Amino acid sequence: MTPAEILDGIDRLGSLPEVVVRVNQLIDSPGASLAEIGEVIAHDADLSARLLRLVNSAFYGFPAAIGTVSRAIGLIGTDEVRSLVVASTAVSVFAGIDARLVDMNAFWLRSVYCGLVARKVAASRFRRGTETQFLAGLLHDIGRLVLFRRLPGRAAAMLAEAEASGVPLHRIEREALGFTTAEVGAELLERWRLPRQLWEPIRCQHAPGAAHAHPWEAAALHVARAMTDRFEPELKTAGRCGDLDALPVAAETLAMLGLGGAQLAAIAFEANVESLDVLGVLSPSAATIF
């Protein structure tokens, strides 16, 4: 099978819900107003509530409560709104996977942490335009959920093998399937017509040098993934930041990103502090567990 054939076998996974499509179209349209975008989102009560909960959370720390969707969009920007809309959709699309296969609460906690780390890595170099990096980190492992839905037995067996052997899961996937779940996730996001800046880093997260159009973003996600593997979920339970010196990332990758040990430690700590606030918006039931 190929990543495309994996996706072809799952009904209603190849396209985004209409509200997400419409929001994306408006955000990409030069003539669309914030009021128009807000009106589309306001018609989806759950999406509106999540947006307002996020902008009123400690993650943003606005001094006064934000009461309307259009005001929220004006404050956080359309790219941030796009990230929230896609993230919320992804959480809902993959709800209901058998808990015996994967702990979805732990999955989304880990994903949120990775997203925050990726965003902070990007913010260490750029002042703006870091929303896509958050979304890439949040959705970096979404292909694994696709596989749990499409081939649950094989997905569980490969995960068990990785845990027992210590061999990285993506290497086991490559050997068993001929591709990785990173490629499946990238294929899904490409089908959803999301930008290459999002799906190419996800496809190349294990080998950032293979990214042609967005090598810097792929390197940032590679580092975020490595930090997440090292620190989550232990960071929540043990209150520590792990061993930065043993992070399995090439020195040239860190040099390319302009990151040192002190910056990585600060990023790990800040992401830890913020992750439950963001998780509480995207998956409230998961936040109550942690």
Side-chain angles (χ1 to χ4, degrees):
M1 300 181 75
T2 65
E5 289 169 339
I6 291 286
L7 291 169
D8 289 341
I10 304 178
D11 292 338
R12 297 186 300 277
L13 198 59
S15 60
L16 287 168
E18 181 60 33
V19 62
V20 185
V21 173
R22 183 60 181 149
V23 168
N24 271 316
Q25 288 174 340
L26 287 172
I27 289 174
D28 290 334
S29 172
S33 67
L34 297 184
E36 289 176 291
I37 298 170
E39 184 178 353
V40 171
I41 294 175
H43 279 96
D44 188 311
D46 182 60
L47 196 55
S48 300
R50 291 189 187 197
L51 175 60
L52 291 175
R53 281 201 303 271
L54 181 62
V55 297
N56 285 300
S57 73
F59 181 64
Y60 284 103
F62 291 124
I66 311 303
T68 66
V69 172
S70 58
R71 173 66 173 153
I73 297 171
L75 285 170
I76 67 176
T78 55
D79 286 337
E80 189 89 339
V81 169
R82 189 204 307 268
S83 291
L84 176 63
V85 168
V86 173
S88 298
T89 299
V91 171
S92 62
V93 163
F94 289 100
I97 293 180
D98 192 334
R100 291 171 296 182
L101 296 172
V102 58
D103 181 343
M104 292 301 294
N105 295 323
F107 179 89
W108 287 119
L109 172 61
R110 184 178 187 281
S111 298
V112 164
Y113 182 83
C114 186
L116 289 171
V117 171
R119 179 178 186 167
K120 291 176 184 300
V121 167
S124 70
R125 181 162 178 178
F126 304 111
R127 292 182 179 274
R128 303 183 64 183
T130 60
E131 295 84 3
T132 300
Q133 284 300 116
F134 169 74
L135 196 55
L138 182 77
L139 301 179
H140 78 279
D141 219 12
I142 200 171
R144 190 154 64 93
L145 297 184
V146 174
L147 205 65
F148 272 119
R149 180 172 287 186
R150 184 73 165 85
L151 300 171
R154 294 191 73 181
M158 288 187 293
L159 183 60
E161 181 182 347
E163 291 174 347
S165 67
V167 176
L169 180 57
H170 67 92
R171 293 183 184 173
I172 292 173
E173 291 169 348
R174 176 73 65 189
E175 180 69 23
L177 302 172
F179 55 84
T180 69
T181 50
E183 293 169 68
V184 176
E187 176 75 20
L188 174 62
L189 299 181
E190 190 174 2
R191 288 189 180 201
W192 282 358
R193 298 184 180 180
L194 295 173
R196 181 169 184 159
Q197 186 181 356
L198 175 61
W199 56 257
E200 186 183 58
I202 289 176
R203 175 169 287 155
C204 301
Q205 61 185 278
H206 302 298
H212 300 296
H214 299 285
W216 195 95
E217 290 85 348
L221 180 57
H222 179 69
V223 170
R225 171 71 185 256
M227 291 177 66
T228 302
D229 288 344
R230 180 57 48 86
F231 302 146
E232 272 296 333
E234 290 81 8
L235 189 62
K236 289 290 175 296
T237 56
R240 58 184 174 81
C241 284
D243 185 1
L244 283 169
D245 293 333
L247 200 65
V249 175
E252 55 266 27
T253 300
L254 293 176
M256 174 186 179
L257 298 174
L259 291 173
Q263 287 173 295
L264 291 176
I267 287 171
F269 176 78
E270 291 170 5
N272 178 38
V273 170
E274 296 172 4
S275 57
L276 284 182
D277 277 332
V278 180
L279 182 67
V281 174
L282 298 179
S283 182
S285 62
T288 62
I289 301 298
F290 300 101

